[in-house]
Amino acid sequence: MEYAVQVTKKKIKNMIIRITREGEVKVSVPYGVPSARVSDFIKSKEQWIERNLEKVLRGTQNRPRDFENGDRIRILGKNYRLQIIISRDSRIELFPDEEEPLALLYVPMYNDAGTRRVILYNWLKDKLISLLYELNKKYGTLTGYLPREVRVREMKSLWGSCNVRERKITYNFHLIEKPLEAIEYVVLHEISHMPYPDHQTGFWEFVSKYMPDWRARKRLLGEERRETP
Ligand SMILES: [Zn+2]
């Protein structure tokens, strides 16, 4: 990993290192500290820098984007190249089996990044909701624990959360980026909280019973968000 470190001298007692939201590495150093000690300090923080820089860079990829021709969007574990087409109706068409999967985004003549984002967001949300309805019905029927309500919203740190008392499950909008196998795991996980509210042995036995390969599926989710409270 390549990165530059900005060193600033300040009236402080100890050396401080931080990473900005834009992914800049900044070190503040008290006056009079020899440069060799500064480089030693930076070197000792190398692992920490790389780990956190990666997190920040991954985060910026999730920030609102412009969605222009050639941009990449991730849907159900596949990377699609976006192609904008001016059209009277707004919709999306996916070609997942092309050598390079293609997403056609039909937008009105007068559109900006905001318009494109809303069209995409609504379409992806609808797609995710119908998929989740289907999966909750499947695993709810299988386990005997059908949720009463299934919702989708954007969440920072959770893949899903289950209100056990009301049998209501909320899923993270960003699940739409993950492969189907991983989404299935999150659905079964949340459903399993109805009989087992916490992550005790009984819980994992229950999950394993209906999905013996849940560990591999969980790995597909990546590390960015937790799968559940
Ligand atoms: Zn859980």
Side-chain angles (χ1 to χ4, degrees), residues 160 185 189-190 193 196-199 203-204 227-229:
Y185 160 70
H189 183 117
E190 295 310 327
H193 276 312
Y196 298 98
D198 47 30
H199 298 126
F203 173 84
W204 293 112
E227 84 284 4
T228 193

Side-chain angles (χ1 to χ4, degrees), residues 214-223:
W214 65 267
R215 280 186 188 83
R217 291 164 180 260
K218 186 180 176 188
R219 241 172 275 130
L220 294 174
L221 283 173
E223 299 296 320

Side-chain angles (χ1 to χ4, degrees), residues 49-229:
I49 295 173
E50 297 206 354
R51 202 173 54 237
N52 285 282
L53 210 48
E54 250 172 70
K55 261 190 224 162
V56 170
L57 295 178
R58 255 203 316 256
T60 46
Q61 285 160 8
N62 292 334
R63 250 194 276 169
R65 297 181 299 158
D66 287 346
F67 299 111
E68 282 161 348
N69 261 327
D71 275 6
R72 306 273 157 181
I73 50 170
R74 205 165 171 79
I75 305 170
L76 296 177
K78 266 194 174 156
N79 267 325
Y80 288 84
R81 187 168 56 84
L82 201 60
Q83 194 173 323
I84 314 288
I85 294 171
I86 306 297
S87 160
R88 235 182 269 172
D89 55 341
S90 308
R91 64 197 162 90
I92 286 157
E93 230 179 306
L94 295 186
F95 297 90
D97 301 320
E98 301 287 301
E99 198 179 324
E100 185 184 39
L102 184 68
L104 301 184
L105 176 59
Y106 295 83
V107 293
M109 171 92 82
Y110 299 103
N111 68 84
D112 55 15
T115 323
R116 295 193 291 275
R117 195 176 308 136
V118 168
I119 294 170
L120 256 171
Y121 183 91
N122 288 337
W123 187 84
L124 290 170
K125 194 169 171 181
D126 280 350
K127 192 175 169 71
L128 180 63
I129 285 179
S130 23
L131 177 63
L132 286 171
Y133 278 167
E134 209 182 287
L135 293 177
N136 276 271
K137 202 175 148 197
K138 177 180 164 188
Y139 286 98
T141 312
L142 201 67
T143 56
Y145 292 94
L146 260 175
R148 259 215 296 262
E149 200 183 320
V150 168
R151 290 189 303 181
V152 168
R153 65 185 184 88
E154 247 182 310
M155 293 191 276
K156 274 222 173 83
S157 54
L158 300 177
W159 287 120
S161 79
C162 180
N163 183 326
V164 175
R165 214 162 36 92
E166 295 177 33
R167 300 176 78 126
K168 203 155 79 180
I169 304 181
T170 307
Y171 293 95
N172 194 331
F173 168 72
H174 292 286
L175 272 177
I176 190 69
E177 297 154 19
K178 302 297 171 186
L180 179 63
E181 297 89 325
I183 303 176
E184 278 189 312
Y185 160 70
V186 176
V187 169
L188 176 62
H189 183 117
E190 295 310 327
I191 282 178
S192 304
H193 276 312
M194 287 195 263
Y196 298 98
D198 47 30
H199 298 126
Q200 303 299 320
T201 325
F203 173 84
W204 293 112
E205 278 170 7
F206 190 82
V207 173
S208 304
K209 185 173 150 196
Y210 297 100
M211 194 177 278
D213 62 345
W214 65 267
R215 280 186 188 83
R217 291 164 180 260
K218 186 180 176 188
R219 241 172 275 130
L220 294 174
L221 283 173
E223 299 296 320
E224 301 103 287
R225 289 178 187 85
R226 285 183 290 146
E227 84 284 4
T228 193

